[in-house]
Amino acid sequence: MCLPSQQLSLIHELHLMLSLCFSWQSQAFPLIFLDLVDLKEFCKSQGSPEADDLNHWDITFWSERFRESKYELNEEELRPYLSLPRVMDGLFNLVNMLFGINVEPADGLAPVWNHDVRFYRVNDSSGTPIAYFYFDPYSRPSEKSGGAWMGGVVSRSRILSRDGANARLPVAHMVCNQMPPVGDKPSLMTFLEVETVFHEFGHALQHMLTKQDEGLVAGLRGIERDARELPSQFMENWCYHSDIVEEVHVSFALNQSAVDYSIIDGCCRNTLMKGIYQKLLAAKTFCAGTLNLRQWAEVLSADAFSAFEDVGLENEKAVKETGQRFRQTVLALGGGKAPLEVFVLFRGREPSPEALLRHHGPESVTSSA
Ligand SMILES: *[C@@H]1O[C@H](CO)[C@@H](O)[C@H](O)[C@H]1NC(C)=O
Ligand SMILES: *[C@@H]1O[C@H](CO)[C@@H](O)[C@H](O)[C@H]1NC(C)=O
């Protein structure tokens, strides 16, 4: 179904993107051009015959090879540090700090489809339940073995409430395919998997923290596709911020009591962690030759995250205030208001590509490479 309002908003978006492209030219084009030159060099050095005549599909392929060689990082290196229970604790602490919500296990409150599935309750700061979610973390090869996703079980709805007074509370499900625990060792994750969990939880937050009582526009419902990725990509940003990772108790990465030392020789574990983080960050922001800046949602999520950077990520009070504003706008208003209006309510202005350019700019790469 394509509602007229969705078309209208798409045209508006297109218009904005075009004007952004023009305003970007001076800043982004030299950068992209430089990247392409590097990419061709790399391609040549690998003895590739198409180096002088790269097609779109070549560019994507060679960008990946280039990234691998430039920021060579073995995803498995981080696995011993990242246990699923502690990652989830870190995530729940983070959303408590940002949005003032309490996530706590509520196993047994609702039936589950497998003994590994956990059920959680989300309370407001006043201690009142506002949502629930299922978390189905591990791969079960006969049923599911790849990918991660989030979905609504029921959405917030006044009409479908049981007592006719209070709205029915939303319930989400989040499904991952992590390696199951082995013996008494917890499930261990790669960094990419951690990022994926943060991403999916961003979607779940929008479903659960909605203030819309009309089911058809509650949570993610009725939101244009591109704008739907805003909360999820926004949450990804937090797992890259090592300051935040250390400071707001997302302490999983440095919790040394849980590290399997046998696979790490030498003494400097903190230095190793720092090095790996910087590589991760550089690899994320690296964009050889591809117009990685094209995604509208990336403009929105980078710009939204920059609201937190602007107030200072170390300033917990200001971060909390900004988090509350993000919750009351982006996470609460659902499809009841056009995404652009919602964004303006949060940011106080229309979206700007400045943050995305800064995150992807040459400085972000050189300073952290
Ligand atoms: C959350 O709400 C439930 C149900 O009202 C309550 O039993 C529990 O103590 C609350 N927990 C927190 C941390 O607010
Ligand atoms: C560190 O890991 C240990 C073992 O898994 C756990 O008991 C402890 O609570 C963790 N500490 C923090 C701060 O996460």
Side-chain angles (χ1 to χ4, degrees):
M1 187 168 69
C2 196
L3 302 168
S5 71
Q6 279 180 318
Q7 285 168 347
L8 267 179
S9 145
L10 271 178
I11 289 167
H12 182 86
E13 184 180 310
L14 223 104
H15 179 79
L16 242 156
M17 283 306 279
L18 276 176
S19 54
L20 285 182
C21 279
F22 285 116
S23 75
W24 276 354
Q25 273 195 359
S26 55
Q27 302 169 61
F29 274 32
L31 208 153
I32 292 158
F33 182 68
L34 255 181
D35 277 346
L36 254 182
V37 172
D38 289 350
L39 192 64
K40 276 188 182 163
E41 284 294 308
F42 174 75
C43 212
K44 269 193 196 138
S45 74
Q46 302 296 301
S48 159
E50 69 264 25
D52 280 321
D53 187 21
L54 290 176
N55 280 306
H56 288 310
W57 47 91
D58 300 322
I59 290 176
T60 317
F61 174 81
W62 283 110
S63 295
E64 270 304 291
R65 303 290 85 74
F66 191 24
R67 189 180 58 79
E68 280 165 14
S69 82
K70 208 168 163 174
Y71 306 111
E72 192 186 352
L73 176 77
N74 181 354
E75 271 278 307
E76 296 299 319
E77 265 180 274
L78 273 183
R79 201 188 277 277
Y81 292 92
L82 302 171
S83 89
L84 180 98
R86 277 183 297 119
V87 167
M88 298 314 283
D89 280 352
L91 177 57
F92 298 158
N93 283 337
L94 176 69
V95 295
N96 173 264
M97 195 273 288
L98 287 177
F99 309 126
I101 53 172
N102 285 303
V103 179
E104 59 184 12
D107 299 300
L109 201 61
V112 292
W113 52 94
N114 182 281
H115 53 81
D116 284 329
V117 176
R118 308 284 314 268
F119 192 65
Y120 290 89
R121 174 171 46 219
V122 180
N123 284 6
D124 218 339
S125 55
S126 62
T128 317
I130 48 173
Y132 300 88
F133 67 94
Y134 294 90
F135 182 39
D136 185 352
Y138 310 127
S139 160
R140 290 191 296 278
S142 62
E143 294 169 45
K144 64 187 181 82
S145 57
W149 58 92
M150 166 272 160
V153 179
V154 296
S155 50
R156 188 178 171 92
S157 166
R158 183 174 40 81
I159 286 183
L160 293 174
S161 85
R162 281 203 185 143
D163 58 11
N166 303 306
R168 177 184 68 182
L169 296 183
V171 182
H173 70 267
M174 196 160 79
V175 181
C176 292
N177 278 289
Q178 296 310 134
M179 177 198 271
V182 180
D184 57 1
K185 282 204 157 179
S187 168
L188 298 173
M189 309 169 83
T190 67
F191 194 81
L192 199 66
E193 289 169 341
V194 174
E195 189 188 59
T196 304
V197 168
F198 273 59
H199 179 105
E200 296 307 328
F201 201 66
H203 284 308
L205 284 171
Q206 191 169 37
H207 181 77
M208 297 191 293
L209 301 188
T210 190
K211 285 267 171 74
Q212 289 288 357
D213 287 346
E214 300 301 336
L216 291 176
V217 291
L220 284 76
R221 289 178 159 191
I223 299 181
E224 282 86 342
R225 285 185 87 108
D226 275 8
R228 242 181 263 168
E229 293 301 320
L230 166 55
S232 52
Q233 294 185 358
F234 167 82
M235 283 305 291
E236 283 178 30
N237 280 291
W238 292 100
C239 58
Y240 280 94
H241 218 283
S242 52
D243 291 343
I244 289 295
V245 167
E246 285 164 44
E247 279 169 30
V248 295
H249 322 296
V250 191
S251 54
F252 54 84
L254 294 171
N255 183 347
Q256 305 198 352
S257 61
V259 172
D260 178 359
Y261 290 123
S262 62
I263 73 142
I264 304 159
D265 29 282
C267 54
C268 33
R269 286 178 290 270
N270 279 344
T271 318
L272 174 77
M273 278 306 304
K274 213 168 163 108
I276 294 175
Y277 257 114
Q278 288 177 345
K279 267 193 195 170
L280 278 165
L281 201 61
K284 181 183 163 72
T285 51
F286 168 75
C287 52
T290 54
L291 191 53
N292 233 352
L293 314 170
R294 68 182 178 273
Q295 280 177 299
W296 180 238
E298 281 211 39
V299 172
L300 298 182
S301 57
D303 199 11
F305 187 71
S306 77
F308 292 83
E309 293 172 322
D310 287 354
V311 300
L313 292 175
E314 66 297 328
N315 181 348
E316 193 169 321
K317 184 166 170 281
V319 164
K320 279 182 174 169
E321 281 163 14
T322 314
Q324 280 300 331
R325 201 167 70 244
F326 188 82
R327 178 179 168 190
Q328 302 307 339
T329 54
V330 176
L331 297 178
L333 297 174
K337 228 184 203 357
L340 189 63
E341 283 177 51
V342 174
F343 189 89
V344 171
L345 279 177
F346 168 62
R347 203 64 178 89
R349 55 161 174 74
E350 294 210 349
S352 144
E354 189 274 327
L356 185 63
L357 282 171
R358 181 161 43 80
H359 292 168
H360 284 262
E363 278 152 51
S364 74
V365 175
T366 43
S367 67
S368 45

